[in-house]
């Protein structure tokens, strides 16, 4: 921690020095030439040895991309002395979630911030997004940044050349639609509801009473406009930042799923980072520390903003926020899905049991 704080202090001092030198200016052409020469020498000695492209599907102004720009990128580039360069690609610029995950697996993309779509490659991990699994967001956070490292090592890293680095918790997923207020499973009947491409979220949403329609997140707004779907679910701040609320008349606080936001890196890149030395630390140390700092920033921003966004939605004349949701009724409906999952993937049950021992 002392090393990080010292690093940020030095970074601030360097920035102030640059600003001051720009304000003072040069008193002669000789001074200007010397300054340009020094800058050129510095640039030539800080050419990156590794460029890390980090892909995600969040809007550019979303707290995730804000954190990547303000926390992750400065830490990595400063502590590596410019030897590692970070390039951030928001809003699915490098493809949808499936595409950029495949890019990380294949090594065409160095890093990504994804959801739990890794379950397409390792279905045993899909239980973390079953309906009404978690008792609290803190319980989910502690698991995803503790025992989850072993879980992903067993089911993902043992098969694919990738490395899991940790997760922030995106919050409770709520249910929005433009048909009617949803308070009970009976209210959900007949509502075409967008879900991501996962067998188990499809079964979960169907058990809750909706008619699930699987599609990439980038297609949701056009699907709402055309009536292909009547609604969909996201954490409340994501509904706001992605602009979904403009198409969803009713937002029910079902709190049915906790979504992790996961940091992953290509295995070959991770190995190369381990070979890069920066004093008494490696590139791996820098990246892992930067991920942890970014996770903390995101978690705090999302918790701080959730109530603010709820108030904005309440004040929107075209949006009705439904608080009196019968969550117990929904939770009862999805219990058979839990049972079916662990019957199919009994090897995953040990991680569920570990998670349930964590204090909510």
């Amino acid at each position: 921690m002392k090393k990080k704080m010292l690093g940020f202090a030095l970074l601030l001092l360097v920035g102030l020095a640059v600003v001051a030198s720009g304000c003072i200016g040069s008193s002669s052409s000789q001074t200007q030439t010397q300054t340009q020469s020094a800058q050129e020498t510095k640039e030539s000695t800080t050419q990156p040895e590794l460029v890390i492209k980090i892909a995600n599907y969040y809007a550019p102004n979303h707290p995730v991309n804000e954190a990547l720009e303000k926390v992750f990128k400065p830490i990595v580039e400063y502590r590596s002395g410019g030897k590692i360069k970070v390039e951030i690609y928001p809003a699915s610029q490098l493809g949808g979630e499936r595409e950029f995950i495949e890019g990380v697996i294949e090594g065409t993309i160095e890093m990504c911030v994804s959801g739990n779509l890794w379950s397409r490659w390792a279905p045993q991990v899909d239980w973390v997004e079953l309906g009404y699994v978690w008792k609290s967001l803190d319980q989910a956070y502690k698991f995803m940044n503790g025992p989850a490292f072993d879980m992903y090592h067993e089911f993902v890293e043992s098969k694919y050349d990738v490395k899991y680095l940790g997760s922030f918790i995106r919050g409770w997923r709520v249910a929005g639609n433009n048909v009617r207020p949803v308070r009970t499973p009976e209210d959900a009947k007949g509502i075409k509801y967008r879900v991501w491409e996962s067998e188990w979220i499809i079964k979960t949403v169907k058990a809750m009473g909706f008619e699930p329609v699987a599609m990439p997140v980038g297609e949701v707004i056009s699907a709402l406009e055309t009536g292909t779907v009547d609604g969909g679910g996201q954490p409340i701040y994501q509904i706001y930042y992605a602009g979904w609320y403009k198409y969803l008349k009713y937002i029910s606080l079902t709190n049915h799923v906790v979504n992790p936001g996961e940091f992953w890196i290509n295995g070959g890149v991770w190995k190369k980072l381990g070979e890069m030395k920066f004093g008494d630390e490696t590139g791996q140390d820098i990246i892992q520390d930067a991920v942890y700092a970014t996770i903390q920033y995101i978690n705090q921003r999302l918790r701080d903003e959730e109530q603010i966004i709820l108030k904005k939605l309440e004040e929107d004349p075209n949006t009705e926020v439904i608080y009196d949701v019968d969550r117990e009724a929904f939770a009862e409906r999805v219990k058979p899905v839990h049972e079916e999952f662990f019957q199919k993937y009994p090897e995953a049950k040990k991680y569920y049991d570990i998670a349930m021992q964590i204090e909510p």
Side-chain angles (χ1 to χ4, degrees), residues 97-98 101-102 105 112 114-130 144 151-152 155-157 159-160 162 164 195-202 257 259-260 262 264 341 344-345 347-348:
E97 185 176 11
R98 181 176 12 168
I101 285 177
E102 289 173 345
I105 291 173
C112 70
S114 69
N116 197 44
L117 197 62
W118 290 89
S119 60
R120 288 182 59 87
W121 291 267
Q124 298 93 336
V125 307
D126 219 1
W127 68 266
V128 302
E129 290 185 325
L130 291 177
M144 293 304 297
M151 180 180 74
Y152 285 122
F155 298 129
V156 182
E157 295 170 13
K159 299 177 183 178
Y160 304 98
V162 294
Y164 171 71
V195 296
W196 64 96
E197 300 172 85
S198 161
E199 173 187 2
W200 298 98
I201 192 61
I202 290 172
V257 167
N259 292 127
E262 303 174 5
W264 289 83
F341 181 89
K344 187 170 183 179
Y345 302 109
E347 65 272 29

Side-chain angles (χ1 to χ4, degrees), residues 28 35-36 71 91 95 111 116 143 173 176 186 199 218 222 232 265 273 281 301 309 324-325 337 342 351 359:
S28 68
T35 301
Q36 290 175 344
V71 181
M111 284 186 67
N116 197 44
F143 177 82
R173 187 170 281 254
E186 290 71 27
E199 173 187 2
S222 62
I265 191 166
L273 285 164
E281 63 183 357
R301 284 279 278 110
I309 290 173
D324 57 334
V325 175
V337 180
F342 290 114
Y351 293 106
E359 190 71 24

Side-chain angles (χ1 to χ4, degrees), residues 177-233:
N177 82 93
N178 53 28
V179 178
R180 70 180 75 91
V182 172
R183 294 179 171 86
T184 68
E186 290 71 27
D187 295 332
K189 186 176 180 180
I191 294 176
K192 300 189 296 290
Y193 187 94
R194 178 267 169 184
V195 296
W196 64 96
E197 300 172 85
S198 161
E199 173 187 2
W200 298 98
I201 192 61
I202 290 172
K203 290 182 176 182
T204 294
V205 165
K206 189 172 183 180
M208 291 173 66
F210 296 99
E211 293 183 8
V213 179
M215 67 174 60
V217 68
E219 299 177 10
V220 173
I221 287 181
S222 62
L224 287 168
E225 289 176 330
T226 60
T228 303
V229 296
D230 302 314

